[in-house]
Amino acid sequence: MKVPFPLLEVEELRVSFFTPDLVVPAVEGVTFSIARGQTLALVGESGSGKSVTAYSILRLIQPPGRMTGGRILLRSARVGDIDIAKLEDDSDRLFEVRGGLISMIFQEPMTALSPVHTIGSQIAEAILLHRPIGKTVARELTLEMLDKVGIAPATRCYEQYPHELSGGMRQRVVIAMALVCRPELLIADEPTTALDVTIQAQILGLIKTLQREIGCSVLLITHDFGVVAQMADEVAVMQRGKIVERGEVRAVLKNPQHAYTRALLDALSSRRHPA
Amino acid sequence: MNEPGAIPAAAPLLSVRGLCKHFPVLSRGFRRPSSEWVKAVDNVNFDIAQGETLGLVGESGCGKTTTARCALRAIDPTAGEVFFRLPDGRVVDLARLSAGELKPVRRHVQMIFQDPVSSLNPRMTVRDIVGEPLVIHGLARGDELETRVAEVLARVGLKPEHRTRYPHAFSGGQRQRIGIARAIIMRPSLIVCDEATSALDVSVQAQVLDLLKELQREFRLTYLFVAHNLDVVRNFCDRVAVMRKGRIVELAPTPQIFAAPQHAYTRILLSAVPSPDPDVKMNFNVGEELAKLDAAE
Ligand SMILES: Nc1ncnc2c1ncn2[C@@H]1O[C@H](COP(=O)(O)OP(=O)(O)O)[C@@H](O)[C@H]1O
Ligand SMILES: Nc1ncnc2c1ncn2[C@@H]1O[C@H](COP(=O)(O)OP(=O)(O)O)[C@@H](O)[C@H]1O
Ligand SMILES: [Mg+2]
Ligand SMILES: [Mg+2]
């Protein structure tokens, strides 16, 4: 799938886990690209390798896991082309990529939040890490961002700790933190899986709105074809470490070519329509 | 009605009337003698016919689990009645039975949880887990226990050699089968499934739901099926009760709930479900609509 103006091109990505007695291949030659300003959904059942793929893009795979091959080309408008796969572990470039050019949000918002710091200080800190500005400006940007993600009053939330908020509100905070530096790519790993449908709808709406405003691309990881249909431009279906089908969302959902995609969609529709 | 005695066959298996459960509001971890209460369940009424599946849906915290636990008398309701028809035709009010009277009744009502295994002792084998209810109720031991465990495992699609294994080694779908085996070994008439398939992948979920349907036909089971996911109840339940803030706002046959929802809340809930058809747009604006609904109340 070659897209016209790619922001990210992942080619032949391979990741394995080297446990004492066996090697577990988790991602086996995955290739996809994401166009500027567009959303690619990576969909598949649990264990298919979606999160490992996402973590690889930010070079967050920890031992015993290791990337064993592939290219992760970020065609940044700000700093030019970077092969993330080739960056040194502690390099400034990798630091700039993480949280500056690419941000990530997780299913469990506490993955990204510290329980012992106020929400405001954590978002302000994220800005100060990546932008040469003073504390007062960081505070203003933080309040503005909290307001944008629909937390009112922002001044109150600034002083609160994560445990004082509901799961849905925490996910809003995490979105604020991820987007405050205006990344070129947002990776969202099952951001609404743990939430009720009404909260999910609001969070998905928020991601859509802010994506349009910032102009970033989104890699949306989900196991729900409903979320794919409503959010994405393109979709890649993952099964056991491989992408088995990919294409434009409408084409894939209305006319799936691969047996696995059809099976997943059938399981979903058997739920919806009496046999 | 809570007098023992035969009742007509058309009478419901379970009949819940005016059920309430209030919890004291805890402030800073201390249980103060305060006058503030959370009305987790607030005057809930429903019937379930023999062999029927009633869905209980709503967002987290709306009171589904508390309703189910009160209905099975796992916890004591604050008020209300729970009429349950025993296999011999007698009707008892579960809400009023003493502990001694409850014990023989409990075998007829079983519960299946989201992860039936995680709350159990990790050193119990599958055989221990599935056979435990029979042991507790003194219904089988020795060879008979072994035989019944083997039978029920086979029935839910597990292998005989699984008996001696530990459950954490199993996949989510297999763990759910262990939970189902533990429930049906008692030959209950009513099973409450509390988010039983919520954590499973769609394809595994479909297999578990198929199994539950088969078992229902085979053993004339009645289900109270608790779920926060509307999609799941759609093809599984005969009727659906939609719960919000401790109350049932709408209860109707499943096709009607989905095709012609009467209550504004049901409509909002349905509109928020992302459809896998890209031409059917979901409603991203539910936040404002819910706020309006709250303001109108
Ligand atoms: N820490 C780990 N150790 C060993 N294997 C792992 C580890 N993390 C992931 N894996 C392997 O990678 C596969 C893909 O995992 P993951 O990307 O988390 O799946 P998904 O996000 O699609 O549910 C898993 O099936 C597992 O075999
Ligand atoms: N043991 C308890 N003590 C205090 N409050 C409780 C207790 N159990 C449940 N609640 C409260 O009752 C409400 C309903 O909870 P629950 O029945 O678990 O909802 P659901 O199953 O629909 O998610 C919630 O507000 C919850 O916090
Ligand atoms: Mg994952
Ligand atoms: Mg519950």
Side-chain angles (χ1 to χ4, degrees), chain B residues 238-240 250-263 266 270:
Chain B
D238 301 303
R239 290 184 303 145
V240 175
E250 180 164 7
L251 197 168
T254 311
Q256 190 182 316
I257 287 280
F258 285 92
Q262 297 300 300
H263 196 280
T266 313
L270 284 170

Side-chain angles (χ1 to χ4, degrees), chain A residues 39-112:
Chain A
T39 298
L40 170 75
L42 194 55
V43 64
E45 296 197 285
S46 42
S48 57
K50 307 182 295 295
S51 294
V52 169
T53 301
Y55 276 69
S56 305
I57 295 171
L58 283 176
R59 293 277 302 276
L60 292 170
I61 299 292
Q62 301 289 330
R66 185 157 47 85
M67 204 180 132
T68 56
R71 225 157 66 106
I72 303 169
L73 189 63
L74 179 69
R75 318 196 83 161
S76 166
R78 282 182 220 158
V79 300
D81 292 0
I82 310 170
D83 184 353
I84 298 172
K86 288 218 176 69
L87 295 180
E88 292 292 329
D89 270 339
D90 289 319
S91 62
D92 291 348
R93 247 305 132 77
L94 186 54
F95 181 77
E96 186 177 10
V97 168
R98 284 186 194 146
L101 302 174
I102 305 177
S103 288
M104 184 158 174
I105 61 178
F106 305 86
Q107 176 175 332
E108 174 42 65
M110 287 312 287
T111 308

Side-chain angles (χ1 to χ4, degrees), chain A residues 79-176:
Chain A
V79 300
D81 292 0
I82 310 170
D83 184 353
I84 298 172
K86 288 218 176 69
L87 295 180
E88 292 292 329
D89 270 339
D90 289 319
S91 62
D92 291 348
R93 247 305 132 77
L94 186 54
F95 181 77
E96 186 177 10
V97 168
R98 284 186 194 146
L101 302 174
I102 305 177
S103 288
M104 184 158 174
I105 61 178
F106 305 86
Q107 176 175 332
E108 174 42 65
M110 287 312 287
T111 308
L113 293 172
S114 153
V116 298
H117 294 103
T118 63
I119 283 157
S121 66
Q122 295 187 55
I123 300 176
E125 183 66 26
I127 308 174
L128 291 169
L129 278 176
H130 290 282
R131 290 174 63 176
I133 53 171
K135 285 199 169 165
T136 326
V137 183
R139 184 187 159 88
E140 272 159 26
L141 283 174
T142 301
L143 288 172
E144 191 184 306
M145 200 64 211
L146 284 172
D147 196 52
K148 265 189 196 148
V149 298
I151 297 180
T155 43
R156 170 142 179 271
C157 178
Y158 195 100
E159 306 299 340
Q160 284 180 308
Y161 291 88
H163 69 262
E164 296 177 63
L165 303 181
S166 68
M169 279 297 161
R170 275 183 215 155
Q171 204 56 291
R172 285 176 193 260
V173 166
V174 170
I175 291 171

